[in-house]
């Protein structure tokens, strides 16, 4: 297969992140390709129902479910996801961790944001002091 400049191809078994709609932020797997604008996705472990979804509302991840047959049913998709440990690998990725941090920060109260500000200030002060000592001795 010719890659070109694109690293992630739309293919059966590609794990996608939904970026728009009620299922936004959830993972799904491309089960079949409908046409040049839509793919049939299914997310049995994440709560995404089987549906045709436009590519512009999907973000392709680097994860692929190997050996997934085209048009596979929900139980087959679930079995392949568990066999390949795809969801666990996604949770370990930096992208997923960044999304969880964003979600946690969005849920902070005013006082929690104030405490974060104070902790950052303490950290900055401690780092600046040690850097000053290191430059003074060097």
């Amino acid at each position: 297969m010719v890659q070109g400049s694109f690293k992630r191809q739309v293919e059966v078994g590609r794990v996608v992140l939904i970026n728009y709609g009620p299922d936004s932020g959830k993972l799904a797997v491309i089960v079949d390709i409908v046409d040049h604008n839509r793919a049939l996705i299914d997310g049995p472990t994440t709560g995404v129902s089987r549906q045709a979804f436009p590519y512009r509302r999907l973000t392709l991840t680097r994860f692929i479910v190997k050996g997934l047959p085209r048009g596979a049913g929900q139980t087959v998709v679930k079995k392949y996801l568990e066999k390949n440990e795809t969801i666990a690998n996604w949770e370990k990725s930096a992208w997923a961790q960044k999304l969880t941090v964003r979600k946690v920060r969005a849920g902070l109260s005013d006082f929690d944001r104030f405490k974060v500000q104070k902790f950052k200030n303490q950290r900055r002060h401690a780092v600046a002091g040690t850097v000053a000592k290191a430059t003074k001795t060097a």
Side-chain angles (χ1 to χ4, degrees):
M1 178 193 253
V2 177
Q3 282 293 114
S5 62
F6 295 104
K7 302 293 184 226
R8 299 175 185 160
Q9 306 294 326
V10 175
E11 56 188 315
V12 173
R14 175 72 68 178
V15 178
V16 294
L17 180 70
I18 300 174
N19 59 24
Y20 183 81
D23 292 327
S24 179
K26 294 183 181 178
L27 287 180
V29 179
I30 295 179
V31 177
D32 202 356
I33 297 171
V34 178
D35 58 15
H36 290 292
N37 294 317
R38 295 177 298 154
L40 186 66
I41 62 169
D42 196 2
T45 57
T46 57
V48 178
S49 61
R50 187 181 186 98
Q51 57 188 312
F53 220 77
Y55 296 131
R56 63 196 159 116
R57 295 183 179 176
L58 300 173
T59 305
L60 302 175
T61 66
R62 65 180 174 94
F63 300 104
I64 300 172
V65 179
K66 300 278 187 204
L68 185 70
R70 186 173 176 203
Q74 190 172 15
T75 55
V76 175
V77 172
K78 189 173 186 177
K79 183 177 81 172
Y80 272 89
L81 280 172
E82 291 169 356
K83 185 175 84 172
N84 293 338
E85 299 176 356
T86 308
I87 303 299
N89 291 337
W90 165 256
E91 295 298 330
K92 292 180 200 171
S93 71
W95 188 359
Q97 291 172 357
K98 189 189 307 184
L99 290 177
T100 55
V101 167
R102 276 189 198 164
K103 190 178 286 186
V104 167
R105 286 205 176 157
L108 291 179
S109 67
D110 187 35
F111 185 60
D112 291 333
R113 285 191 296 274
F114 174 74
K115 290 191 291 189
V116 168
Q117 176 191 6
K118 288 298 181 183
F119 287 137
K120 282 184 176 180
N121 196 3
Q122 287 176 357
R123 182 181 64 195
R124 186 177 68 238
H125 187 54
V127 168
T130 55
V131 167
K133 285 180 186 175
T135 56
K136 192 174 188 180
T137 59

